[in-house]
Amino acid sequence: MAMLELKNVHAHYGKIHALKDISITVNKGEIVTLIGGNGAGKSTTLKTISGTLRPSAGQIFLNGEDLGKYPAHEIVTLGIVQVPEGRRVFGQLTVMENLDLGAFTSKDKKRDAATVEKIFHMFPRLAERSKQLAGTLSGGEQQMLAMGRALMADPKILLLDEPSMGLAPVLVDSVFATIKTLHAQGVTILLVEQNARMALKTASRGYVIQTGKVILEDDAKKLLENEMVKKAYMGD
């Protein structure tokens, strides 16, 4: 049984039909990536999984349980946690306060403290800036903070929306190294990323989304070699 499964999901923004019969599976322990152009429906797929956008048709399951009855904040407690596009840290709060907010569903203060230590070990810059306002951090540091905040919720599956957006190439490499580290620690990941080459080198499987539809699905290595994918999304 898949850990996360979308079955024939449709979603709308008003009259705009954003997702059209999307079916996706993510198995426990995988990194699965969604690639596609701007407006293809990648971020909308993550929002629909998170419950911030309700599907107009179809079903979404986590470990076989239908998520349709749960509001977004309860979906977080079930283990689906999203790092949004553009990072969206709370700029007027400190790094530590942002991390504390990531644990708002937790009642285990001992676990929370241990998670903070784990995050500071993974991202030493955050430890150095724990009392600094998040809005004064660099883009790369804010991405570290957004990922750390998500980890505070103890995710079973982490939804990453364009984690490399707007970052310098050296920081892009660092972000993807972090994704691999999280995966090695047992976190299942669904990755939305416009840098198709990096995403497919990191993932085990991938889906190509175009105008709200899945048009291709395969092992990541095969998608890297696919001529259509190379021409459309890698500039080859």
Side-chain angles (χ1 to χ4, degrees):
M1 180 177 65
M3 185 176 191
L4 177 69
E5 185 174 14
L6 282 68
K7 284 188 174 181
N8 309 113
V9 170
H10 294 254
H12 288 75
Y13 294 110
K15 294 182 178 179
I16 298 173
H17 197 172
L19 297 183
K20 305 165 186 173
D21 204 35
I22 292 278
S23 293
I24 288 171
T25 61
V26 181
N27 298 312
K28 185 176 181 179
E30 281 192 308
I31 300 178
V32 174
T33 187
L34 308 181
I35 61 173
N38 286 329
K42 306 184 303 298
S43 294
T44 300
T45 300
L46 297 193
K47 291 176 182 177
T48 306
I49 296 168
S50 295
T52 57
L53 177 67
R54 286 295 177 184
S56 47
Q59 293 173 291
I60 301 173
F61 298 92
L62 178 66
N63 293 322
E65 184 170 11
D66 191 340
L67 297 180
K69 61 185 176 182
Y70 294 103
H73 68 280
E74 291 185 10
I75 289 175
V76 172
T77 66
L78 294 174
I80 296 178
V81 184
Q82 183 170 346
V83 179
E85 178 183 347
R87 299 175 279 278
R88 299 188 190 178
V89 298
F90 297 96
Q92 297 304 310
L93 300 181
T94 67
V95 166
M96 194 63 232
E97 287 168 337
N98 271 265
L99 293 177
D100 286 341
L101 283 174
F104 81 97
T105 61
S106 174
K107 296 178 181 178
D108 188 341
K109 299 304 179 185
K110 187 175 180 180
R111 185 204 68 82
D112 296 343
T115 303
V116 169
E117 290 304 311
K118 175 182 171 182
I119 291 166
F120 283 166
H121 179 74
M122 188 179 300
F123 303 118
R125 298 288 285 277
L126 296 184
E128 296 168 6
R129 290 160 171 72
S130 62
K131 297 180 180 180
Q132 188 170 323
L133 293 181
T136 66
L137 300 177
S138 69
E141 290 164 348
Q142 288 187 10
Q143 186 62 58
M144 295 174 196
L145 179 56
M147 294 176 76
R149 182 180 60 192
L151 293 176
M152 290 296 295
D154 193 24
K156 291 183 175 67
I157 180 165
L158 190 61
L159 310 181
L160 297 176
D161 195 355
E162 304 285 6
S164 74
M165 179 180 286
L167 300 183
V170 65
L171 293 177
V172 172
D173 290 341
S174 177
V175 164
F176 277 93
T178 299
I179 292 171
K180 291 177 181 177
T181 297
L182 293 175
H183 176 244
Q185 293 174 354
V187 180
T188 302
I189 296 170
L190 180 57
L191 170 66
V192 160
E193 178 57 55
Q194 282 195 323
N195 187 333
R197 192 183 305 277
M198 287 290 287
L200 290 171
K201 285 182 177 180
T202 304
S204 53
R205 292 191 299 114
Y207 293 84
V208 180
I209 297 182
Q210 193 175 90
T211 60
K213 297 178 181 179
V214 172
I215 62 166
L216 190 59
E217 160 192 1
D218 213 331
D219 291 338
K221 289 182 180 179
K222 292 181 179 178
L223 289 175
L224 272 169
E225 297 167 358
N226 184 286
E227 290 301 322
M228 183 277 287
V229 173
K230 289 197 287 187
K231 289 179 182 178
Y233 305 111
M234 300 183 201
D236 291 356

